[in-house]
Amino acid sequence: MNSMPAEKINHHPADRFVYGLYRLFSSAVFFIFFPFFWLYTRITGQYREGLGQRVGIYRAGVTRQLYGTPRIWLHAVSVGEVNVAGAIIDRLRKRLPGCCLIVSATTEQGFRAAVNNLGAKATCIHAPLDFTGAVKRALATLQPDILVCLETEIWPNWLTAAHERGIKIALVNGRISMRTINRYIKIRPLIRWTLTYVDAFSMIQRADAGRIARLGAAADRITVNGNAKFDVLQKKADRSLKPAMRQLYAVKKGQPVLVAGSVRHREDRILLAVYQKIVRIFPNTLLIIAPRHIGKAPAIGKHVGEHGFSCQYRSDLGPGGRPRTASVVVVDAMGELMATYSIATLAFCGGSLVPLGGQNILEAAVWGIPVFFGPSMEDFLDAKALLDASGGGIQVADGRELADKILYYLNHPEKAAAAGQLARKVVATGSGAAEKHADVICRALASPL
């Protein structure tokens, strides 16, 4: 593995000073708070698994799995990025059949998804904290030839330590939203310091490329290669899921189904008010609400009752459970949103009627259904632009317009079918980005230090 010191880079004095402060601050935070966190894990048992890996300690059970060359470490945040890593891994395996692949995740959900979906293809680990001691130990133990960060993972200590060891660094499927860049601009010297060490930026769209350049990335290292989530969605949209989901939710032939996915902060109340208007004209409409955080399910269930509707939870349905009889079902299970969209007549994607940046509207679009979303889509402007251009997405200003538009499409099913086909076509034509991102990784590996 490559551990030769890399060529020194001449940084701006302000960048060097700010990074020094960050390094000091992150070390202080670690030493002050980690003992309390360690004690918490001992008392409660929570987060105990993988705690050692968080501080860069990877035991022999992990290192024994590392064989083959080159050694490629892909780092993701949570489930969405882990899925993207899987699509890129499939392409890397074809290009570099003897390579060794490592996938790390920040969240517990992401780690479980990595183990369940990629465990047979890669060594799955918890990501180290961005504390100098932790990342140096991790890099010294795992010895990657390249560190590949997905989307917006920019960790100053980690990337600095990787560069110092002569490890190539790539940011792929890169996405810098308007909200993200506004935060990064406040700490631009620190971000500029970090981006100097990245050898290749493979961004989703031109706007992302412009923003990363604005933050300090070298223009000659930036390429635009699309969104690998298109490839993930095409693979996950298994048409065989639909009959089983229709049976699970007891959906009758011709029954309208409105699936509201990734619902956040007060949106459930807006949707229930919308639903009250819908059932006056289409009384047998089934509403399925999937909160962004399943811990909110009980509160949403309470709101359903307050609006005068019967409610069941997804966990109550299926084998050994009761049949679906309620007019509203609240999803309290992880990882089922994609499959649930398969039975939707219409879909609403949350985090958009409130100022939270939206959610991934393409997860619904791939099923060939009209997709509704609110005015706050700052975190998914690329997906919004694609659906806007195709006519497969319908943006609404508020709950009143959402009710009007849903009723229009329920009254005009031929219009709904046409919009749905346009939405599906967007996803189909956007596939192929995973291959391009894999190509960037291979070129970075082949380039001299």
Side-chain angles (χ1 to χ4, degrees), residues 263-330:
V263 171
R264 301 180 70 181
H265 190 55
R266 300 194 313 272
E267 283 182 321
D268 63 304
R269 294 180 182 273
I270 299 172
L271 287 161
L272 289 165
V274 168
Y275 186 57
Q276 286 177 324
K277 296 179 181 179
I278 293 170
V279 294
R280 290 173 194 161
I281 301 173
F282 296 92
N284 68 331
T285 301
L286 169 63
L287 172 62
I288 302 174
I289 302 177
R292 175 65 174 152
H293 304 289
I294 61 173
K296 301 293 185 182
I300 293 175
K302 182 181 177 182
H303 297 160
V304 172
E306 290 170 353
H307 281 74
F309 299 114
S310 57
C311 178
Q312 286 174 282
Y313 295 99
R314 161 63 185 89
S315 57
D316 296 331
L317 309 180
R322 294 177 293 160
R324 198 277 304 169
T325 55
S327 57
V328 180
V329 178
V330 179

Side-chain angles (χ1 to χ4, degrees), residues 386-437:
L386 289 169
L387 286 188
D388 283 348
S390 73
I394 302 101
Q395 183 165 355
V396 297
D398 50 29
R400 177 182 295 182
E401 188 177 4
L402 177 61
D404 291 343
K405 291 288 180 69
I406 288 174
L407 287 171
Y408 172 81
Y409 280 99
L410 289 177
N411 277 307
H412 298 85
E414 73 287 353
K415 299 283 189 183
Q421 289 306 309
L422 291 171
R424 177 185 290 165
K425 187 177 179 181
V426 164
V427 180
T429 55
S431 299
E435 184 76 36
K436 295 175 183 176
H437 294 308

Side-chain angles (χ1 to χ4, degrees), residues 332-349:
D332 58 349
M334 288 287 294
E336 289 199 358
L337 182 56
M338 271 290 291
T340 307
Y341 278 137
S342 72
I343 60 171
T345 309
L346 306 166
F348 167 77
C349 292

